[in-house]
Amino acid sequence: MSKPVVAIVGRPNVGKSTLFNALAGEQISIVKDTPGVTRDRIYADVEWLNHKFTLIDTGGIEPESKDIILSQMREQAQIAIDTADVIIFITDVRQGLVDADAKVADMLRRSHKPVLLVVNKVDSFKKFMTDVYEFYNLGIGDPIPVSAASQLGIGDMLDEVVKHFDEDQLEEAEDERPRIAVVGKPNVGKSSIINKLIGENRVIVSNVAGTTRDAIDTEIVWNKKPYVFIDTAGLRRKNKIKEELERYSIIRTVTAVDRADVVVVVIDATEGVTEQDAKIAGIAHERGKGIIIAVNKWDAVEKNDKTIYKYTNEIRNTLSFMPYAEIMFISAETGQRLPKLFEKIDMVLENQTLRVQTGVLNEIMTEAVALQQPPSDKGKRLKLFYITQVAVKPPTFVIFVNDKELMHFSYVRYLENKIRDTFGFQGTSLKFIIRERQEKER
């Protein structure tokens, strides 16, 4: 089930980041981020009244002249129109209605996407309400007064946001075909891989543009089984500044990964694995997807008997936060090992939905505890009572313990490795939830 995407657009200093932070809560700046992934504050997962959505900040503008402001705002509006289901257009009651606001409003109106006009910095509804009415002149609906800084009116605004979430997305959930997102930096060969797969299968390809996304979905049938490939390429604007391209491709990646079951992270063999690759892989890891790392252009690398070994180590080091990811070396150009991609996808899908019986899990846990004593602190030792699997995609386990504080990350990792020793779970992350239980409750 893919989450709706909500984007924030607005001029400099109208309070985009303040609103973003107010909605995202403190979740983002806390250091519980994936090791090895630096988090640009581009997106956050937000929940409101049982609706989950991905919030996107389309970018900061710090230019000098009005022309640049306008052209960059158009750029941001375009990103929002391309990727979002709902757009929050934020204006500033103290600066009043500005020419740039009107021009961007025109673009947004023509996009036929739901747009919420939010007037920020309304610290007192009494005092500013007459100024808020001025924004009716933009002609994109009722202005919603908020103060991001004092968190006034945010709930009313979110109520309006979730009203626009689309029922189309629920239909996607009923579609049984596995969804594979092909992600990676620009020019690593994402589209070439998909084109080669289409070519080799001689299938009839149905390119249906996603309902609100501009990623193209392609059905490919392999061994009589249909798969939907989500291509995040299609970014061919050469004149863009590198940072903007990166920001844009990360936003596109987030929306594609959300819709996928398995994510194929494509790395360019001639460049090696980079920090940008780690960022992109981190998005799939954080969202608990099945992951295959496909090293493309393998035909272009000079090899000896140690090359694969050296490459694998380099990838494992840079992507140390996801040791479970499957790695394969391919060439879209020659088609080398591409048929194996489907075998890997099937294996990862199977592992993503694998359920382990409670009895077996508790046997593994008991044995693990016997082999390595749980940590203790100030004379109190961690006790593990019980483990059970509560979900799939990714496989999620709840462990009941006497004291949550004592359950160190390293001991969870140790148990995870024991479970993997038995069941493999290659290509998928595992999620562990630690719950406390008093001795007498047992």
Side-chain angles (χ1 to χ4, degrees):
M1 168 74 184
S2 68
K3 281 188 292 200
V5 177
V6 178
I8 301 176
V9 176
R11 282 182 298 113
N13 308 322
V14 293
K16 287 199 297 287
S17 316
T18 318
L19 181 66
F20 183 82
N21 295 343
L23 296 182
E26 291 307 302
Q27 298 148 305
I28 299 196
S29 46
I30 296 179
V31 196
K32 64 169 200 277
D33 279 346
T34 314
V37 180
T38 51
R39 169 70 80 71
D40 290 336
R41 307 190 58 152
I42 295 181
Y43 65 91
D45 297 315
V46 180
E47 192 169 340
W48 179 252
L49 305 179
N50 296 334
H51 292 278
K52 291 188 164 82
F53 61 93
T54 301
L55 181 70
I56 287 174
D57 182 5
T58 52
I61 321 172
E62 296 304 327
E64 310 66 69
S65 81
K66 292 204 165 130
D67 310 342
I68 303 179
I69 287 187
L70 188 58
S71 72
Q72 290 212 354
M73 274 194 70
R74 286 202 176 113
E75 188 63 41
Q76 287 182 12
Q78 199 50 58
I79 291 182
I81 290 166
D82 285 350
T83 51
D85 299 294
V86 180
I87 298 165
I88 294 178
F89 178 32
I90 180 167
T91 56
D92 179 342
V93 76
R94 316 214 162 175
Q95 295 174 27
L97 192 52
V98 182
D99 191 34
D101 289 333
K103 292 209 163 76
V104 172
D106 284 342
M107 252 180 95
L108 294 174
R109 190 183 315 109
R110 284 196 297 271
S111 75
H112 302 298
K113 289 271 176 101
V115 178
L116 295 186
L117 172 58
V118 173
V119 184
N120 192 20
K121 305 189 187 173
V122 182
D123 302 329
S124 142
F125 289 160
K126 237 195 194 129
K127 194 165 131 198
F128 288 109
M129 230 34 217
T130 44
D131 300 328
V132 169
Y133 295 140
E134 183 194 356
F135 289 90
Y136 271 107
N137 293 323
L138 287 174
I140 48 173
D142 304 337
I144 302 169
V146 306
S147 163
S150 340
Q151 305 224 357
L152 282 174
I154 301 281
D156 295 345
M157 180 193 79
L158 285 172
D159 287 344
E160 291 304 315
V161 168
V162 300
K163 275 183 198 162
H164 291 289
F165 290 164
D166 202 346
E167 296 310 305
D168 289 357
Q169 291 176 314
L170 300 173
E171 288 166 26
E172 195 168 89
E174 286 150 29
D175 182 347
E176 291 296 302
R177 299 172 301 175
R179 297 180 171 273
I180 320 301
V182 182
V183 305
K185 293 182 311 200
N187 305 325
V188 290
K190 301 185 287 285
S191 298
S192 321
I193 290 174
I194 291 176
N195 292 340
K196 191 75 174 177
L197 291 173
I198 293 167
E200 289 192 355
N201 303 328
R202 304 270 176 269
V203 291
I204 299 157
V205 177
S206 47
N207 275 354
V208 194
T211 36
T212 55
R213 314 281 191 272
D214 53 346
I216 299 291
D217 292 359
T218 306
E219 176 179 274
I220 298 178
V221 179
W222 183 266
N223 280 346
K224 303 198 173 92
K225 185 175 163 188
Y227 302 79
V228 176
F229 279 77
I230 303 166
D231 182 4
T232 53
L235 190 68
R236 290 282 168 268
R237 300 194 214 158
K238 287 282 178 281
N239 55 354
K240 288 288 146 272
I241 324 160
K242 186 165 174 287
E243 283 82 72
E244 272 199 17
L245 269 181
E246 283 195 0
R247 183 182 199 94
Y248 194 49
S249 67
I250 282 192
I251 289 175
R252 304 275 304 258
T253 302
V254 172
T255 55
V257 165
D258 265 343
R259 298 174 54 217
D261 302 306
V262 175
V263 177
V264 178
V265 181
V266 185
I267 290 175
D268 184 332
T270 58
E271 279 185 27
V273 59
T274 66
E275 196 182 314
Q276 180 74 353
D277 295 322
K279 250 186 217 175
I280 288 170
I283 293 170
H285 168 76
E286 279 186 349
R287 283 165 161 61
K289 303 294 181 176
I291 300 179
I292 296 167
I293 294 164
V295 184
N296 188 26
K297 310 187 187 173
W298 192 238
D299 55 314
V301 173
E302 282 186 35
K303 298 183 240 342
N304 60 24
D305 53 354
K306 299 200 174 50
T307 317
I308 278 209
Y309 179 73
K310 185 177 140 289
Y311 244 88
T312 305
N313 274 351
E314 196 182 307
I315 291 171
R316 291 285 180 225
N317 283 336
T318 309
L319 307 182
S320 57
F321 54 91
M322 41 194 281
Y324 56 84
E326 280 292 300
I327 300 176
M328 57 186 305
F329 298 88
I330 62 169
S331 162
E333 187 74 15
T334 66
Q336 179 188 9
R337 288 202 198 85
L338 271 187
K340 282 205 97 68
L341 185 60
F342 288 97
E343 288 170 32
K344 290 261 192 222
I345 289 170
D346 285 347
M347 178 197 80
V348 172
L349 279 168
E350 206 172 299
N351 288 334
Q352 269 256 299
T353 51
L354 187 62
R355 285 187 184 271
V356 181
Q357 286 173 318
T358 303
V360 181
L361 282 171
N362 283 286
E363 274 170 35
I364 294 173
M365 185 174 82
T366 311
E367 194 178 307
V369 169
L371 284 169
Q372 187 177 323
Q373 262 211 321
S376 62
D377 185 36
K378 301 192 182 67
K380 187 173 186 189
R381 184 167 296 286
L382 171 70
K383 284 188 183 151
L384 289 80
F385 300 134
Y386 188 71
I387 179 171
T388 183
Q389 184 176 350
V390 292
V392 293
K393 283 188 175 182
T396 304
F397 305 90
V398 173
I399 303 176
F400 292 98
V401 299
N402 61 338
D403 185 350
K404 237 160 115 167
E405 296 298 305
L406 290 173
M407 188 66 158
H408 294 186
F409 171 73
S410 56
Y411 203 74
V412 176
R413 178 56 65 81
Y414 162 70
L415 289 174
E416 174 175 341
N417 289 339
K418 287 287 178 231
I419 292 172
R420 284 186 186 279
D421 288 347
T422 315
F423 294 100
F425 280 117
Q426 288 112 310
T428 177
S429 61
L430 302 181
K431 197 169 150 197
F432 290 88
I433 299 165
I434 311 302
R435 293 258 163 84
E436 250 175 55
R437 229 188 210 186
Q438 298 315 312
E439 299 261 353
K440 55 178 180 289
E441 281 180 36
R442 292 185 63 204

